[in-house]
Each structure stands twice: as C-alpha cells, then as structure tokens.
Amino acid sequence: MKASGFDFSQVLALSGAGQRHLCGPRPGTHCVSLGLCSTFLPPAYLLQDSHKHFHPFNSGRPEFSPAQDKTQPPEHGCQGQHGSVYWKTGASQVLTSLSPDLPLREQLQACFSISNCPVWMDSSTAAQCRQLEAAVGGAQALSLLTGSRAYERFTGNQIAKIYQQNPEAYSHTERISLVSSFAASLFLGSYSPVDYSDGSGMNLLQIQDKVWSQACLGACAPRLEEKLGRPVPSCSIVGAISSYFVQRYGFPPECKVVAFTGDNPASLAGMRLEEGDIAVSLGTSDTLFLWLQEPTPALEGHIFCNPVDPQHYMALLCFKNGSLMREKIRDESASGSWSKFSKALQSTGMGNSGNLGFYFDVMEITPEIIGRHRFTAENHEVSAFPQDVEIRALIEGQFMAKKIHAEALGYRVMPKTKILATGGASHNRDILQVLADVFGAPVYVIDTANSACVGSAYRAFHGLAAGTDMPFAEIVKLAPNPRLVATPTPGASQPPRFL
Ligand SMILES: Nc1ncnc2c1ncn2[C@@H]1O[C@H](COP(=O)(O)OP(=O)(O)O)[C@@H](O)[C@H]1O
Ligand SMILES: O=C(CO)[C@@H](O)[C@H](O)COP(=O)(O)O
C-alpha cells in the first residue's frame, strides 16, 4: 500500500488511534496503521451503542476474516478518546494464551467485568467531576495538574462512577484500558500501557511530570494505579505482535507495536501541524487543536501531552454539537441534502445580514449550554429563521464560537496561519469557505480526510525510529503538502455593513 508519499509495505510497526478511520493490512504488505476497529478489528467487537457505550466482544456479529477486511465499510463502531475497557481478573492469562484456531470473540468474550463501557459522549458523571475538583483544590488546580478541569467524559470520572455504582465489578477488574490501549493489547497479546497523549484525556495524568496524580487516583477509586499500569511516551515500542496475529493472519513475527493513542493526537500527527497553525476536525464532534511549546491550562479547553514530541503539548477544544447538529439542520432546512445545504450557503452573504444563531441540541461541552438561540441584526431573539438563513446562521455560529474560544485560550491567527481541516464535513467546500471567512485565514485539507489514520502510520514510522532521536518532522518530510481549498473572501475581516 502506498499513501501520502510513503511506501508502507516496508513498515513492520503498528500504531493506532482510538478512532474509526483505518488503513488496514492489504495483501502483500506488512504495514498497518490503524484507527481502532473499522475494517481490521472486527466491527462486532467494538460495536457502539448510540455513541454512549461500546461492547467489547459481545455483539454476536460475524467474526473477522481476511475476506471481510475487503468488504466491511470502515464505519462501524469504535470511539475516540476517553472511552475505557474493564478487563476481568484472569483476563490477562486468556490474552497471553490465545489459540490461533479460534476467533478472538469466542476466546475473550468472558474477559470483561463491564459489558457496556462508557465512551466520550457519556456526560453522566457531573457528581464525580465535582468530587474530583474538590479533592485537589478546585477546577483551576485540577487543570494546572492534569491539563483540564474535570470533564464528564474524561476517564477518571467515568471510572469513579463505575466504582461508586458497581463496586463489585470494579473489584473484579484487574486492568483498565483506554480504547486505544485496548486495541494495542489485542495486537500485543498482553496489556498495553496507556500513552501520555491519550492518557492526558483522563483527568488523572500530571501532564508536566508524566506520572499519574496520586491525589486524582485516590479521589476516583481505590487501587487504581495498579489497574492502569504505568503510562509511556507516545512513541514507545510497547512490544512485538502476538503469535495469534502471526499464525492466524500472517503478520511477520518481527512486527512491532507502537503505543496506540487517541484520535485527536493521531490527527495532529497526520496533519503535521506547525506552530501558528490550527487544525479543525469536523467529525461527529468538532474539535480544534494546535501545537503548544508550553502548557497553558485554563478552565475551558484541554492541554494534552504532545503525541510526537514528548517535550511539547497540544491544546484541544471539543464541541459536541458538530456534525450531528449540522445533519439535523440539513434535514430540517435542506430536505436532508448536503448539496441543498451548500446552495443555501452560496445564496446567503457573509455575516448573514446580521442574523446570528447558536445551536446546541445536546448539552454542549464548550461552553456548557443547551438549546437553540437565534438573534436578528437588531438583537431580537426569534424562534425561527428562513431555511437559508438558518443554515448560514448555524455554520457561522459554529465557527465564530471556535474562534472566540480559541482566542480566549491565547490563540492568535497570524499572517502565516494555516487552518487544516479534516473529518467528514471537510469534504464540503462551502462549509470550508465560511471557516476561511470567519477566521480570516486560508483553509487547507490533506489528501485524506482520515488524518488520524495517516497520523498513526507516521507515528509507527516515528516509533521505529525513535531510538535514533529522529525528529518527527524528518519522518514526515516526504509527505505531500496540504492542499489549499478556501481563502478568505475579500472584506471578510471588515465589520459588516448592517452594523
Ligand atoms: N458533504 C458533507 N457535508 C457536511 N458534512 C458531511 C458531509 N459528508 C459527511 N459529513 C459529516 O461527516 C460526519 C462524519 O465524519 P467523520 O470524520 O467520518 O466522523 P467521526 O468523528 O466519527 O470519525 C457525518 O456525521 C456527516 O454529518
Ligand atoms: O472527546 C473528544 C475529544 O476530547 C472527541 O473528539 C472524541 O475524541 C471523539 O471524536 P469524534 O469521533 O466525534 O470526532
């Protein structure tokens, strides 16, 4: 397989992202960079339930076979960051002695102490968040320590809830994996450590010292450190491929597994972000991230350890009302058609004649707010807009919120700033034009919208070379440059005429 200027057929490393994008192994190659599950891991294993939970190994769907690899669409469940998997006492022994004659599902289905595992869309842990913040001296103190104030989806709070509501299941848990380290564990045939970058999405890791915070662990659940294992740098080789994959699927025994990470850190690697750039991922959620030399934790947004440079950091803002909200407005105001949605953007002007809207059908993360709010140029709140105005109000409102929140964290659009767009909605040029106009900066896409997937491939190369101290930039220097798709319309940064 060749992609992005690299010949991946020589790669004997696996590196993944807890995400649904994947380049799986293809006949005659040894490479793999993968996003969690999709076509390679049997979708059945990680089937997702309304984005709230996923079920390791219990969906009853057909077992993976190499033939299925070619036919399964890469859309079946899995999750991004923050999801967790609970291995039952004794599971490690099963994992290390898998028979290549049997499917994973058959052998592992009894290995989990929790069958419906929480994923990032679960926001039911507000009480645990308040307890965690109180235990470490408040939201700001927690943010300084772990890079984020307490967030409902962050894994420490999810673990705390499981411990409080189901102490028996918790006490029968010998290991807790993130979705990313869970997938790596399958390939290793033993428990994989959590990497620093995905580990930063747990409210448990001291992002500067790269160790679990004893105060946070103690506030969440007892004996948690031993269940999590020691975190490792994101570019660590965590071991060799298990004999199960060698014998059953023909992986070369020399194949190494590089620590898996979350979808957003993997995307940062895939987009080869440079200082001053902003990456905007328009997936199920909308996320915005950038490379930071120094951490600047705040009460809004997150600071994670950087996945490709252990000395540096990345910032991330997550907006829950992203594509699913756009789909709702598309269905209501554009008869379910993206092309009609685009026409509405083309037929309305920048600034929407002063009409402004904020659309949060589910409780938003940044900021915590729910409901639809529409305002006319005269600042009157109204309950509806004409269809075309509604569509532009949604898209302009979404991007204005991103810009305002990013600036509150200290981001500044610079003359050399590139906006790198990825995710499903980055296929839509008209949406990207609004992005360019609101930020006043050019928008680029990389060859594939699956930046997390390609980032995992780069990380695999980087992991193999890490012992040689080769910087990530050197690893990706042959990759194609991002493609310019939208530049700000002249006058976009001027105050609108209707004011
Ligand atoms: N042409 C389009 N215009 C706008 N949005 C689109 C378009 N095509 C796909 N999408 C959106 O992309 C989303 C999926 O993005 P993707 O990056 O695959 O998701 P995930 O976050 O699950 O990886 C869908 O929810 C869909 O609304
Ligand atoms: O919670 C976050 C980031 O903190 C989300 O970005 C998840 O990582 C899921 O991403 P999508 O699959 O919805 O894009």
Side-chain angles (χ1 to χ4, degrees):
M1 175 179 67
K2 275 185 196 274
S4 307
F6 288 89
D7 181 354
F8 286 123
S9 63
Q10 296 311 310
V11 181
L12 299 180
L14 293 167
S15 154
Q19 223 236 24
R20 72 184 64 176
H21 306 312
L22 171 129
C23 342
R26 295 289 181 269
T29 70
H30 307 309
C31 147
V32 191
S33 149
L34 53 110
L36 181 55
C37 87
S38 312
T39 53
F40 180 61
L41 285 182
Y45 296 165
L46 298 160
L47 197 70
Q48 192 175 309
D49 165 12
S50 314
H51 272 209
K52 284 268 168 65
H53 297 101
F54 80 94
H55 318 285
F57 297 95
N58 70 351
S59 75
R61 301 222 0 201
E63 176 61 18
F64 166 76
S65 71
Q68 266 179 292
D69 179 31
K70 293 181 206 106
T71 52
Q72 285 283 357
E75 286 302 329
H76 294 272
C78 84
Q79 258 314 318
Q81 302 190 254
H82 320 296
S84 42
V85 179
Y86 299 78
W87 299 89
K88 205 192 256 174
T89 305
S92 151
Q93 241 174 333
V94 181
L95 192 58
T96 48
S97 49
L98 292 170
S99 158
D101 300 327
L102 295 172
L104 287 177
R105 170 162 42 85
E106 241 170 70
Q107 300 181 78
L108 291 180
Q109 62 187 349
C111 284
F112 304 97
S113 49
I114 303 281
S115 53
N116 289 341
C117 299
V119 296
W120 78 276
M121 291 196 95
D122 187 303
S123 53
S124 62
T125 62
Q128 288 74 21
C129 287
R130 300 296 80 80
Q131 288 159 11
L132 178 60
E133 288 178 349
V136 299
Q140 183 68 33
L142 183 65
S143 181
L144 285 174
L145 202 61
T146 68
S148 305
R149 68 164 169 83
Y151 280 89
E152 282 77 359
R153 68 193 191 286
F154 276 42
T155 327
N157 308 305
Q158 295 288 345
I159 293 170
K161 183 182 157 197
I162 284 175
Y163 165 64
Q164 289 169 18
Q165 297 193 346
N166 198 348
E168 207 183 336
Y170 180 81
S171 73
H172 292 143
T173 301
E174 69 179 17
R175 181 78 172 206
I176 301 175
S177 296
L178 291 182
V179 179
S180 54
S181 61
F182 165 68
S185 303
L186 298 181
F187 285 102
L188 279 177
S190 60
Y191 294 142
S192 168
V194 168
D195 80 295
Y196 292 159
S197 203
D198 211 12
S200 317
M202 302 174 78
N203 274 148
L204 295 177
L205 187 79
Q206 292 181 197
I207 55 164
Q208 307 225 34
D209 310 319
K210 275 89 175 159
V211 292
W212 298 125
S213 154
Q214 293 303 323
C216 295
L217 293 175
C220 287
R223 300 178 56 203
L224 186 49
E225 189 165 20
E226 67 189 54
K227 295 183 201 290
L228 291 174
R230 271 176 65 160
V232 296
S234 302
C235 60
S236 310
I237 291 175
V238 291
I241 188 89
S242 74
S243 60
Y244 178 88
F245 279 92
V246 174
Q247 291 172 39
R248 189 171 170 96
Y249 295 119
F251 277 76
E254 320 82 71
C255 179
K256 299 282 189 290
V257 180
V258 175
F260 281 31
T261 194
D263 58 347
N264 297 302
S267 259
L268 178 131
M271 299 182 98
R272 297 177 296 128
L273 227 58
E274 290 170 5
E275 212 182 342
D277 296 344
I278 300 175
V280 179
S281 165
L282 303 170
T284 306
S285 59
D286 286 352
T287 47
L288 196 142
F289 43 90
L290 78 164
W291 184 298
L292 288 181
Q293 299 222 357
E294 288 299 328
T296 49
L299 286 178
E300 210 142 53
H302 317 297
I303 308 291
F304 296 155
C305 296
N306 190 299
V308 295
D309 184 334
Q311 312 306 323
H312 289 176
Y313 299 86
M314 66 177 278
L316 182 140
L317 283 162
C318 182
F319 302 83
K320 202 169 189 175
N321 291 272
S323 276
L324 299 182
M325 191 66 240
R326 289 188 286 274
E327 280 176 21
K328 268 199 176 175
I329 298 292
R330 176 202 63 188
D331 295 346
E332 292 170 17
S333 301
S335 323
S337 149
W338 285 124
S339 94
K340 284 192 186 149
F341 190 96
S342 284
K343 285 202 179 89
L345 290 175
Q346 290 159 14
S347 68
T348 46
M350 272 188 308
N352 212 12
S353 306
N355 297 300
L356 198 61
F358 301 101
Y359 299 78
F360 309 110
D361 275 12
V362 291
M363 178 62 81
E364 182 49 71
I365 294 168
T366 320
E368 263 181 77
I369 188 169
I370 191 157
R372 297 185 183 187
H373 308 275
R374 303 174 184 85
F375 301 89
T376 63
E378 295 75 35
N379 207 18
H380 294 142
E381 184 150 14
V382 291
S383 59
F385 278 147
Q387 290 188 332
D388 287 4
V389 173
E390 178 94 320
I391 289 170
R392 180 165 279 276
L394 166 72
I395 300 299
E396 287 189 347
Q398 288 188 328
F399 291 145
M400 271 192 274
K402 286 176 186 46
K403 183 158 188 260
I404 290 163
H405 287 291
E407 286 176 349
L409 274 180
Y411 308 161
R412 291 291 171 265
V413 172
M414 304 190 235
K416 65 167 195 167
T417 291
K418 292 195 291 296
I419 300 175
L420 295 150
T422 182
S426 69
H427 294 295
N428 189 318
R429 291 291 171 94
D430 298 286
I431 289 179
L432 297 185
Q433 184 59 54
V434 180
L435 179 60
D437 291 342
V438 169
F439 274 79
V443 176
Y444 294 78
V445 291
I446 52 170
D447 258 1
T448 167
N450 294 340
S451 55
C453 163
V454 98
S456 296
Y458 295 160
R459 293 185 58 254
F461 275 101
H462 189 220
L464 283 186
T468 63
D469 278 341
M470 194 182 285
F472 184 73
E474 185 64 24
I475 301 283
V476 296
K477 70 177 184 206
L478 292 179
N481 287 323
R483 201 158 30 89
L484 180 66
V485 286
T487 47
T489 310
S493 53
Q494 302 303 311
R497 259 177 293 157
F498 48 79
L499 285 182

